[in-house]
Amino acid sequence: MNGRFVRRPQVEPLSPSPFMRLINLFRVQSDNPALVRAQFEAFTKQAPILYFILTTNALTVSYTYYGEAPIWLAVYIPVTFGILCAVRLRVWWQRRHAQYDDAQILKQLRLTHKLAVGLAIGFTAWSLALYPYGDPYAQGLIAFFMALTVIGCIFCLMHVRSAALLVTLIVNTPFIIFFMFEGHAALRAVAVNLALVSIAMIFILMVYYRDFANLVQSRKDLTVKQEETERLSDDNFRIANLDSLTDLPNRRRFFAALNLTFEICHKSGDRFAIGIVDLDGFKPVNDTYGHATGDRVLIEAGRRLQSLCGSNIILSRLGGDEFGLVVTGNPSDSDLMALGQKLGEIVRLPYDIGASHAQISACIGFATFPDSANTPDGLFERADYALYYAKRHLRGQTVLFSQAHEKLIHEHSVVEQALQVADLDCELSVVYQPIVDARTGRIAAFEALARWQSPFLGAIGPDRFIPIAERAGLIRPMTKVLIQKALKAAASWPDHVRISINLSAQDISVAEGVVQIIACVNQSGVDPKRIDFEITETSITSDFAQARRAIDALKALGCGISLDDFGTGYSSLSHVHRLPLDKIKVDKSFISDIDINPASFKIVRSLIVLCQDMGLTCVMEGVETEAQYEILSELGGDYIQGWYFSKPMSGDLVLRYMEQDQPARRQKA
């Protein structure tokens, strides 16, 4: 064929010929296991009745012909038939509860098929042999015997169509022929009647078997649909209760387990705990290396956490980078702290992300029943607060909710309620701390710092009310008031003095917040080029893409962008590289001991060099002593801020302070 392959046309399978369809009527079907099993189960119940009918009828005929026919014909043969039927009846009775596979069932049906043919031939031959020895009444009994036996066999074998058809033909055909040629008109009439009845019985048999097969197929289809429904139900349950990424129980399943555990322990009085695990530093990994890498880190973190959870701990993924724990078995405080330590240690192990490794940590908050709360929701809220406390004060550690935290919650609740009803325009104020040029010693800018004087609670520090406002969703209206007040003050300053304003994560996490800021700037009359907005790493990592859009919008307006508290986050360098920043503010934790700690000195020096290489302005905050100032000046930092120059001052003192601005002033004011 010249090396070429010839594609043969596919031939459709031929349907059986009429002759083969006829032959198949007299065979046990083997291509439908469900139908074969249904035939076997139905016949198992009918077989004892079949053998009872054969035995009873044979003994009746034997009794009638006893003394008329030879003993071997009148007694021995029917007794033999009776014994055979009794044996088969006993076999079927013993097997009525037995379990068989498909191959064994098919084998049993084929054996039954052969026995039915053999018994039909045997009983027919025996009956015809007895017929000549009887008087007309006895001969009439033979005809009655055969007709009654055939009808009984057909009804008992209706589920095994092939056997029923063969029995009907094997028994009735010889008798119809025999009676037709007996020469008596009555017998010919019997033959015709028997033939017509046989045809009717075969028709009934065929219809019944067709309906039986259809019923079996319907039941099979129903079973398949039921299995499909169960599979879909299982899939729906999995989707509804399992996290698709980590394959751990999801948030819904976590709260179901929490509620169930609460009910059980509320009745028994047992102690249990819930915990919330937050992966610190995961969002920077996700933003830097992509969601696919982030997903692998989450899967691995979930696997590691699960490896430490025994049978008394249910681990769930609550969403994002948070996991939930339900710990039963009367855990003590020390047990929970030890568990938290193990979980933190295993999370901190490096994660393989291809060519390099990522490292994250975990904050964990625990709350116990009945110590922390007496409702499931209250328990979760307190575990969440313990986590919040760990993230703010004890990064990478475990916090167990205590009465001290309950007191803080109460205090925060009081502050939040006061904020809810506060007249922000009247109660909020702004103080200003100078930012000094490290080379000239002159004032370059002021940072605007929020203050709140509540008529009910008195003076509340920003370290208290700002986090509460953020958690309560009140920070955006507060930011609007503070920006307006700060820009109103800056409008009266010299044009070379800049204003630096802090923004919350919520201010830049949605487009509406950015629009609000831009509107405040446009309405103030202050040149946007004199304004710097300070953002923290936490405000960026919550939604990097949105944060980037917000920064781009503010930059397009002409404002400067400073990254505050630099060095305390998890991926500062990646943010510096990916964001259009103007300034970096080195966190005061590195400045406080720069004159006595060589490590702090090296870190600050490296950060200053980094800023110089990347063309960024470096602001060092938290300067309080002459020694710190001298070191920073020698290192080449651009701007310095701290109490060494001045504490934050009210707006009316800013102008007076600027009038005294002289390069020689380097002592604490």
Side-chain angles (χ1 to χ4, degrees):
M1 303 295 290
N2 296 327
R4 296 180 180 178
F5 291 101
V6 177
R7 183 176 181 180
R8 298 177 181 271
Q10 293 186 354
V11 180
E12 295 289 335
L14 297 175
S15 59
S17 65
F19 176 75
M20 288 304 301
R21 288 201 296 268
L22 179 63
I23 295 298
N24 288 336
L25 292 176
F26 300 97
R27 292 177 176 174
V28 178
Q29 289 183 284
S30 59
D31 58 346
N32 191 339
L35 179 59
V36 172
R37 180 172 289 275
Q39 288 177 298
F40 179 76
E41 291 175 353
F43 180 67
T44 300
K45 300 173 183 177
Q46 302 294 340
I49 300 175
L50 171 64
Y51 289 116
F52 175 77
I53 292 173
L54 291 175
T55 303
T56 302
N57 290 353
L59 292 178
T60 301
V61 173
S62 175
Y63 174 77
T64 302
Y65 278 86
Y66 181 71
E68 301 294 333
I71 188 70
W72 61 272
L73 191 59
V75 177
Y76 294 159
I77 290 179
V79 169
T80 301
F81 284 152
I83 293 173
L84 178 60
C85 290
V87 170
R88 291 298 298 169
L89 189 150
R90 184 172 183 272
V91 168
W92 280 105
W93 182 259
Q94 290 175 337
R95 291 176 176 174
R96 68 187 187 279
H97 298 306
Q99 299 294 326
Y100 296 99
D101 58 27
D102 292 340
Q104 291 172 324
I105 288 175
L106 186 60
K107 181 179 179 181
Q108 289 294 327
L109 282 183
R110 285 174 174 169
L111 177 60
T112 298
H113 193 270
K114 293 177 182 178
L115 287 174
V117 172
L119 286 173
I121 293 173
F123 273 99
T124 302
W126 174 62
S127 300
L128 291 174
L130 276 177
Y131 186 84
Y133 293 100
D135 56 22
Y137 293 103
Q139 290 175 347
L141 177 63
I142 290 292
F144 178 77
F145 160 70
M146 294 311 298
L148 186 63
T149 301
V150 167
I151 293 172
C153 289
I154 288 176
F155 277 106
C156 291
L157 293 169
M158 288 188 81
H159 302 93
V160 190
R161 180 184 61 186
S162 57
L165 288 173
L166 284 172
V167 168
T168 302
L169 294 177
I170 290 172
V171 174
N172 285 356
T173 301
F175 269 92
I176 291 171
I177 295 172
F178 178 76
F179 288 149
M180 285 295 293
F181 291 98
E182 266 293 280
H184 197 283
L187 290 177
R188 285 196 293 272
V190 170
V192 172
N193 185 61
L194 186 59
L196 294 175
V197 170
S198 296
I199 293 173
M201 292 298 296
I202 290 174
F203 178 77
I204 293 172
L205 172 65
M206 297 296 288
V207 172
Y208 177 84
Y209 185 80
R210 181 198 65 192
D211 293 342
F212 174 73
N214 289 339
L215 180 63
V216 171
Q217 185 62 39
S218 298
R219 187 173 65 180
K220 180 181 177 182
D221 294 341
L222 182 62
T223 301
V224 171
K225 290 181 180 179
Q226 196 170 19
E227 291 175 351
E228 178 69 14
T229 301
E230 291 176 356
R231 186 186 66 79
L232 290 175
S233 178
D234 291 342
D235 289 344
N236 289 336
F237 178 84
R238 184 181 183 280
I239 293 171
N241 293 277
L242 292 181
D243 175 59
S244 59
L245 179 64
T246 62
D247 216 27
L248 292 171
N250 60 13
R251 187 181 186 90
R252 175 178 179 177
R253 191 64 177 166
F254 170 81
F255 281 102
L258 169 58
N259 290 328
L260 178 60
T261 304
F262 180 85
E263 290 179 7
I264 294 173
C265 292
H266 189 266
K267 294 177 181 178
S268 65
D270 290 340
R271 191 179 200 245
F272 81 98
I274 66 168
I276 305 177
V277 182
D278 182 86
L279 303 182
D280 290 328
F282 167 74
K283 285 185 174 63
V285 172
N286 195 54
D287 293 339
T288 302
Y289 299 101
H291 293 294
T293 299
D295 287 347
R296 291 200 301 271
V297 171
L298 279 176
I299 293 171
E300 175 62 16
R303 186 194 65 78
R304 293 182 186 182
L305 294 172
Q306 184 66 60
S307 68
L308 294 180
C309 296
S311 58
N312 67 318
I313 302 175
I314 300 174
L315 174 68
S316 307
R317 185 188 175 204
L318 300 181
D321 58 356
E322 279 193 350
F323 295 83
L325 301 165
V326 178
V327 186
T328 57
N330 290 303
S332 64
D333 291 354
S334 58
D335 292 335
L336 295 174
M337 295 303 291
L339 173 63
Q341 182 177 356
K342 291 179 181 178
L343 294 174
E345 289 174 352
I346 201 169
V347 167
R348 281 192 294 271
L349 295 176
Y351 293 81
D352 185 3
I353 55 173
S356 60
H357 291 81
Q359 192 160 7
I360 59 179
S361 62
C363 288
I364 305 172
F366 279 113
T368 59
F369 171 83
D371 311 283
S372 301
N374 56 7
T375 65
D377 291 341
L379 201 60
F380 183 81
E381 289 174 0
R382 280 151 181 78
D384 188 54
Y385 183 84
L387 174 67
Y388 165 77
Y389 189 89
K391 293 177 70 172
R392 281 191 62 86
H393 304 287
L394 298 168
R395 281 277 185 176
Q397 298 186 40
T398 299
V399 172
L400 181 62
F401 189 86
S402 65
Q403 290 303 313
H405 298 136
E406 188 70 48
K407 183 179 179 181
L408 287 175
I409 288 180
H410 176 72
E411 293 177 356
H412 289 179
S413 176
V414 171
V415 173
E416 181 179 337
Q417 291 176 15
L419 281 173
Q420 294 280 3
V421 298
D423 183 346
L424 298 180
D425 284 326
C426 295
E427 298 176 26
L428 286 179
S429 61
V430 181
V431 295
Y432 306 88
Q433 187 173 43
I435 300 174
V436 176
D437 189 317
R439 291 177 292 275
T440 65
R442 290 191 174 277
I443 298 171
F446 285 90
E447 180 180 359
L449 304 171
R451 296 294 185 263
W452 177 36
Q453 182 72 31
S454 169
F456 307 105
L457 306 177
I460 307 294
D463 58 333
R464 290 183 59 194
F465 73 81
I466 288 181
I468 295 173
E470 289 177 330
R471 285 175 63 89
L474 301 172
I475 194 66
R476 282 172 52 193
M478 185 178 293
T479 298
K480 179 180 180 181
V481 172
L482 293 172
I483 291 178
Q484 290 174 338
K485 289 179 177 289
L487 294 182
K488 182 178 180 180
S492 62
W493 301 346
D495 291 342
H496 70 277
V497 178
R498 304 177 66 84
I499 179 74
S500 184
I501 303 173
N502 292 279
L503 296 180
S504 166
Q506 295 180 27
D507 293 324
I508 61 174
S509 61
V510 292
E512 291 82 355
V514 181
V515 171
Q516 173 183 277
I517 295 169
I518 293 174
C520 291
V521 173
N522 289 333
Q523 293 168 6
S524 68
V526 177
D527 186 349
K529 295 180 180 179
R530 293 178 54 205
I531 304 172
D532 290 321
F533 286 109
E534 297 188 12
I535 57 176
T536 61
E537 283 195 69
T538 54
S539 65
I540 298 172
T541 55
S542 59
D543 187 343
F544 184 85
Q546 170 58 30
R548 175 61 190 261
R549 289 192 291 269
I551 292 172
D552 288 341
L554 295 175
K555 288 282 291 183
L557 186 64
C559 301
I561 302 296
S562 300
L563 184 62
D564 198 10
D565 301 333
F566 184 75
T568 60
Y570 288 90
S571 62
S572 298
L573 291 179
S574 69
H575 292 151
V576 170
H577 173 69
R578 300 170 65 190
L579 293 175
L581 301 174
D582 298 291
K583 295 182 177 67
I584 285 179
K585 299 190 73 172
V586 179
D587 188 70
K588 62 184 178 182
S589 61
F590 299 110
I591 306 299
S592 60
D593 60 351
I594 191 172
D595 54 335
I596 58 174
N597 188 344
S600 295
F601 178 85
K602 293 177 181 178
I603 291 173
V604 173
R605 181 178 61 186
S606 299
L607 293 177
I608 292 174
V609 173
L610 173 67
C611 290
Q612 292 172 347
D613 291 342
M614 299 191 69
L616 299 174
T617 300
C618 182
V619 181
M620 293 157 287
E621 56 184 353
V623 179
E624 297 184 356
T625 66
E626 179 77 20
Q628 294 169 356
Y629 176 81
E630 294 292 343
I631 292 174
L632 294 173
S633 298
E634 294 174 4
L635 288 177
D638 298 304
Y639 296 98
I640 298 174
Q641 175 183 356
W643 281 23
Y644 173 70
F645 299 100
S646 173
K647 295 180 180 180
M649 66 189 76
S650 61
D652 58 345
L653 296 179
V654 170
L655 292 175
R656 187 185 309 170
Y657 183 84
M658 285 191 289
E659 291 174 357
Q660 301 173 356
D661 180 30
Q662 295 181 14
R665 180 177 12 85
R666 292 190 180 180
Q667 68 277 0
K668 185 174 180 180

